[in-house]
Amino acid sequence: LVAGVAVGITTPVMPLLVRSLGLGEAQYGAVVSAFGAAKLLSNVPSAVLVDRYGRRTSMTAGLCVISLSTLALSFAGSVETLLCARAMTGVGVSALLAGATNSVADISTPLNRARMMAPMTVAFSSGTVLGPAIGGGLAGVGGIPFTFSTVAGLFFANAVSTRLLTSETKPAHQHPPRG
């Protein structure tokens, strides 16, 4: 749900931010593409890091990166800041989804894996549906910086709760030996 919200909140708010900065259509297109490109390029490194450091660590780190990059949008004053923030959001979402997907795979069996994965994909899709409504509602109440700051705070709270309340599911035989 959280990763989908990260994607969805920008839908109604980003055009307002782009317009307020006086950016053109091509620059806006680059900002939108920065998220997808960064997510695409970070999928394999995220998978490696999930196997090395664990599922919970990856999910927590991903949520922290999403939180910081969303907060950066609150202070964005240039196309470079927007590009960097959206790229970092893509990296964070990649880490979050890699951790979550592997976590679900760890606790499922070949017989129930699809049934176990379905709620996670439904949650992501639900976030992309709810995100624009949340983003638009917050922007209507408090403006652009308020929207991104509030959402950043929610992502950080989710990171803390993930770290404190989520068990590591990485199988013991995959943990590197301590020397």
Side-chain angles (χ1 to χ4, degrees), residues 13-176:
V13 183
M14 192 61 71
L16 302 173
L17 179 56
V18 166
R19 186 177 29 210
S20 74
L21 295 175
L23 304 180
E25 289 82 4
Q27 290 169 314
Y28 178 55
V31 168
V32 172
S33 294
F35 169 87
K39 185 179 177 309
L40 175 68
L41 293 173
S42 63
N43 281 336
V44 171
S46 290
V48 170
L49 293 173
V50 164
D51 282 341
R52 181 170 294 152
Y53 298 107
R55 284 64 163 139
R56 182 177 68 175
T57 298
S58 179
M59 291 186 289
T60 302
L63 287 163
C64 285
V65 170
I66 295 167
S67 175
L68 290 172
S69 63
T70 303
L71 184 62
L73 292 171
S74 299
F75 303 106
S78 68
V79 68
E80 293 83 11
T81 303
L82 290 177
L83 288 167
C84 183
R86 289 304 292 158
M88 290 309 300
T89 303
V91 170
V93 168
S94 179
L96 173 62
L97 291 178
T101 302
N102 277 283
S103 184
V104 172
D106 291 343
I107 62 172
S108 65
T109 68
L111 296 176
N112 70 358
R113 190 152 295 134
R115 189 170 57 249
M116 296 288 286
M117 292 281 182
M120 185 181 69
T121 58
V122 167
F124 181 84
S125 296
S126 297
T128 62
V129 171
L130 295 173
I134 293 167
L138 289 172
V141 170
I144 298 167
F146 172 78
T147 301
F148 289 126
S149 296
T150 300
V151 173
L154 294 173
F155 280 117
F156 183 73
N158 196 324
V160 170
S161 66
T162 296
R163 184 66 186 170
L164 296 175
L165 303 175
T166 302
S167 299
E168 178 57 60
T169 62
K170 183 178 175 183
H173 70 278
Q174 289 184 0
H175 289 279

